[in-house]
Amino acid sequence: MRIESADEAAWWESAVIYEIALISFQDSNGDGKGDLAGLLSRIDYLSWLGVDAVWLTPIYRSPFRDLGYDISDYCAIDPAFGSLEDFDRLLDALHTEGIRLILDLVPNHTANDHDWFVESASSANSAKADWYIWADAAENGGPPNNWLSRFGGSGWEWCETRRQYYYHSFLVEQPDLNWRNPAVRAAIANVMRFWLDRGVDGFRVDASAVLIKDELLRDNPTNPNAKGKPPPQHQKPVFTDDRPGTMDCIEFIREVIDGYRGRMLCGEVQGKIDRIGHFYGNGRPRLHLPLNFALLDSQWGALSLQATIDAYLNAIPDHAWPVWVVGGHDKQRIASKIGEAQMRVLAMLLMTLRGTPFFFMGDEIGRKRVPIPSDRIHDPFEKLVPGYGLCRDPERAPMRWDESPDGGFTMGRPWLPLEPPDGAANVAGQRRDERSILALFRALIALRREHAGLHHGVYEPLRGQNDVIAYRRTDGRKEFLVALNIAAEPRKWHLPGHGRLLISTHLDRPQELLPNASILLRGNEGVIIALEGQ
Ligand code: GLC
């Protein structure tokens, strides 16, 4: 099933998308960092698992202060990861296996050692003087206004050469580009075309909601609900986030993508439920898939989950294709939050809801947060805003492929430590266990692919009883029922019809006709049932 770029217009609607932080996936040369050749050697795993597309966190040349989201050259591979030839080889091998590749696009900021910034900072008369957000000091010589960086402290940094401040939404070393400047837009479009011409299948747009900031530089108001929150949240980011002009930038990025057939744009958006719908666009299209983290943020309970699902589906436009994300490089591992048994139920929910599922490498083995000793912490967020549990390293720890101390990830010293091997979730052990969570993810992905009703079908919630979430999925030809017992104790559930059990989260039930119209679900058990004889 080799992929040709022009294949299937909306392939992403039925795809299962797997996020990989390359630095933590597989090291091939013993430097303790994952690389392109390492990923190439693991394509058989991706095929076996059944994912349709991989999204890679940034692989470009970078000082790596922020997991590569600080880019020095958008059109070069960081030497730690390999070369452009390695990239082409990887893309070709993925496509041969029928797997698509999504790259991270970071349009909001560069690294401060990017040539564009070096030139922009050199003089207010340079050709790139307006490529970043520069402003004069306030009358007292301080920053132009009160805007904060998400990573702590003022969002403004003084530049002695220009005798002006520049704005950075994130690190001091990540200056924000000026998206009001058409030359910046054109430069990012060229970056996109560079990769699209090589054959990538789309982009995940980083920090898309902050591309435009208030032109008048008005101060942000204080956040009245800031008690106990990290300092960057002591302000309401009214004049820095989700400004009206941002949508025009996203539409511009989409137009570049639409110059190619069969490419997809997903993106990190303003997470508030009432804003997510806007990122799809109305008239002028924006993102195909604005990432929705609502399941991650929901409480684990039948009522809250149902409410979360419905609130999200209500909040997106009719024409919008839904998205469900249960893990990511910025998000705490959900298995740590809800537990292993519940993670299996979540896997079934994820693979049977209407919409494109995203999960993060390791979620499929129920990976938990890896404790990182303080002297091994890399994440600048934790270093700059300590004490609030913001560190993202515990989810970014290298993949555990087997039971060995370094998990089969590297022959060298891993850039971040792995958890002690005893009893830790690992791929090899779970591949030997036909009832593992890995086996469950794989079986669910296969089932979803086999039945159009499970990906494209209509979603119809049923009235939940007794901690059971239930819904019907149908494409008009086949009907499926999904029932998930969110409680830890058994619950009886009445089936609206006769059906054949296809799979249980416990992977121990035979595929049999259910003898009567009710089923006893064990604690934390979910089932998918194909309705018959209607
Ligand atoms: C995005 C990335 C995050 C990064 C930030 C700044 O939010 O997902 O990892 O720290 O952008 O680049």
Side-chain angles (χ1 to χ4, degrees):
M1 285 191 279
R2 201 193 142 78
I3 285 171
E4 303 300 342
S5 313
D7 281 357
E8 297 171 65
W11 57 266
W12 49 90
E13 292 187 355
S14 50
V16 171
I17 303 184
Y18 186 66
E19 183 192 349
I20 291 179
L22 188 63
I23 193 170
S24 282
F25 199 59
Q26 178 67 61
D27 178 15
S28 73
N29 60 5
D31 68 355
K33 295 175 183 164
D35 46 42
L36 293 170
L39 172 51
L40 184 73
S41 72
R42 290 293 183 186
I43 290 185
D44 58 345
Y45 172 70
L46 303 175
S47 288
W48 174 85
L49 183 58
V51 295
D52 301 283
V54 163
W55 146 30
L56 281 184
T57 57
I59 55 175
Y60 321 104
R61 189 184 290 274
S62 162
F64 245 81
R65 293 194 182 89
D66 183 24
L67 202 79
Y69 285 93
D70 44 334
I71 297 171
S72 325
D73 184 346
Y74 286 99
C75 297
I77 300 288
D78 193 86
F81 293 147
S83 61
L84 271 176
E85 291 70 44
D86 293 325
F87 175 82
D88 290 339
R89 211 170 298 131
L90 173 74
L91 182 59
D92 188 58
L94 285 168
H95 280 176
T96 304
E97 283 298 308
I99 300 172
R100 291 183 162 86
L101 182 63
I102 310 298
L103 291 184
D104 228 299
L105 178 73
V106 188
N108 180 66
H109 47 271
T110 67
N112 60 348
D113 67 350
H114 195 295
D115 287 347
W116 299 346
F117 186 72
V118 173
E119 190 178 341
S120 190
S122 67
S123 143
N125 300 316
S126 78
K128 294 197 170 52
D130 290 337
W131 279 46
Y132 293 81
I133 300 177
W134 294 97
D136 294 335
E139 273 173 20
N140 65 3
N145 66 17
N146 73 352
W147 294 353
L148 296 174
S149 151
R150 273 174 181 59
F151 284 165
S154 168
W156 297 97
E157 182 71 9
W158 177 250
C159 168
E160 196 47 47
T161 340
R162 273 186 71 148
R163 303 204 54 77
Q164 276 188 311
Y165 283 90
Y166 68 86
Y167 180 67
H168 55 94
S169 298
F170 299 92
L171 293 176
V172 167
E173 296 88 353
Q174 287 169 307
D176 281 34
L177 284 161
N178 174 16
W179 268 80
R180 289 199 168 84
N181 183 341
V184 167
R185 294 179 177 222
I188 295 292
N190 283 339
V191 167
M192 293 174 69
R193 290 193 196 103
F194 176 85
W195 296 104
L196 291 166
D197 288 340
R198 288 193 113 80
V200 306
D201 300 286
F203 294 102
R204 173 262 187 191
V205 187
D206 183 68
S208 78
V210 303
L211 290 174
I212 289 284
K213 295 92 194 168
D214 184 41
E215 209 165 12
L216 303 174
L217 305 184
R218 282 171 285 181
D219 281 336
N220 275 329
T222 15
N223 176 2
N225 306 314
K227 200 158 172 256
K229 297 214 169 118
Q233 291 176 33
H234 289 192
Q235 243 173 27
K236 285 174 131 188
V238 175
F239 294 108
T240 42
D241 283 29
D242 200 13
R243 302 291 306 160
T246 292
M247 293 302 174
D248 181 62
C249 305
I250 300 176
E251 287 159 8
F252 171 83
I253 292 174
R254 171 65 179 268
E255 274 164 24
V256 179
I257 275 272
D258 283 350
Y260 294 75
R261 289 194 60 186
R263 316 299 169 98
M264 183 272 274
L265 207 55
C266 59
E268 186 185 29
V269 299
Q270 228 290 350
K272 291 210 180 83
I273 201 97
D274 56 336
R275 287 298 300 157
I276 255 186
H278 297 264
F279 285 82
Y280 283 97
N282 201 353
R284 272 177 90 194
R286 295 168 187 160
L287 303 175
H288 294 104
L289 304 177
L291 299 181
N292 157 37
F293 296 101
L295 285 177
L296 269 172
D297 300 334
S298 171
Q299 273 186 333
W300 190 254
L303 292 181
S304 351
L305 284 167
Q306 288 181 57
T308 299
I309 295 166
D310 268 47
Y312 166 70
L313 292 176
N314 283 341
I316 60 175
D318 288 345
H319 69 267
W321 184 250
V323 186
W324 305 98
V325 187
V326 299
H329 66 279
D330 291 328
K331 298 287 177 184
Q332 298 207 348
R333 289 270 183 199
I334 184 106
S336 294
K337 179 177 153 193
I338 62 179
E340 278 170 39
Q342 292 79 0
M343 183 71 194
R344 297 175 79 106
V345 179
L346 180 67
M348 187 171 276
L349 178 69
L350 176 70
M351 295 302 170
T352 56
L353 280 174
R354 183 162 195 269
T356 303
F358 280 72
F359 61 100
F360 184 47
M361 58 181 224
D363 285 338
E364 73 277 22
I365 54 173
R367 190 92 187 271
K368 296 210 165 138
R369 306 194 81 208
V370 173
I372 309 288
S374 51
D375 61 339
R376 303 265 325 248
I377 286 177
H378 277 259
D379 188 4
F381 204 8
E382 175 63 18
K383 290 185 187 167
L384 294 167
V385 193
Y388 293 90
L390 297 173
C391 189
R392 299 168 293 178
D393 290 339
E395 5 292 325
R396 298 172 172 183
M399 185 71 173
R400 183 169 271 295
W401 297 100
D402 61 34
E403 300 86 342
S404 63
D406 288 328
F409 164 70
T410 180
M411 304 290 282
R413 184 173 193 257
W415 77 285
L416 271 179
L418 283 80
E419 67 281 79
D422 288 344
N426 71 85
V427 172
Q430 293 200 13
R431 278 185 81 156
R432 290 191 298 268
D433 173 2
E434 57 187 30
R435 291 187 185 162
S436 64
I437 184 166
L438 178 58
L440 176 66
F441 261 86
R442 181 171 182 249
L444 288 168
I445 293 172
L447 205 62
R448 181 184 169 89
R449 173 169 299 158
E450 188 184 337
H451 300 292
L454 288 178
H455 50 84
H456 269 87
V458 171
Y459 162 84
E460 185 196 326
L462 300 173
R463 193 182 156 105
Q465 311 147 342
N466 287 337
D467 302 310
V468 175
I469 296 181
Y471 45 92
R472 198 193 303 264
R473 299 293 317 275
T474 177
D475 63 351
R477 278 170 298 157
K478 270 193 159 175
E479 256 189 74
F480 299 90
L481 293 177
V482 182
L484 309 167
N485 178 9
I486 303 300
E489 301 81 36
R491 292 283 187 265
K492 203 177 199 177
W493 183 66
H494 298 283
L495 254 85
H498 291 279
R500 180 177 296 276
L501 189 132
L502 294 182
I503 188 173
S504 148
T505 46
H506 292 32
L507 294 178
D508 60 353
R509 291 203 193 228
Q511 285 205 346
E512 60 184 13
L513 268 179
L514 295 168
N516 54 40
S518 77
I519 178 172
L520 188 68
L521 296 170
R522 289 163 288 178
N524 299 309
E525 183 180 25
V527 291
I528 305 177
I529 293 161
L531 280 182
E532 293 197 349
Q534 308 253 318

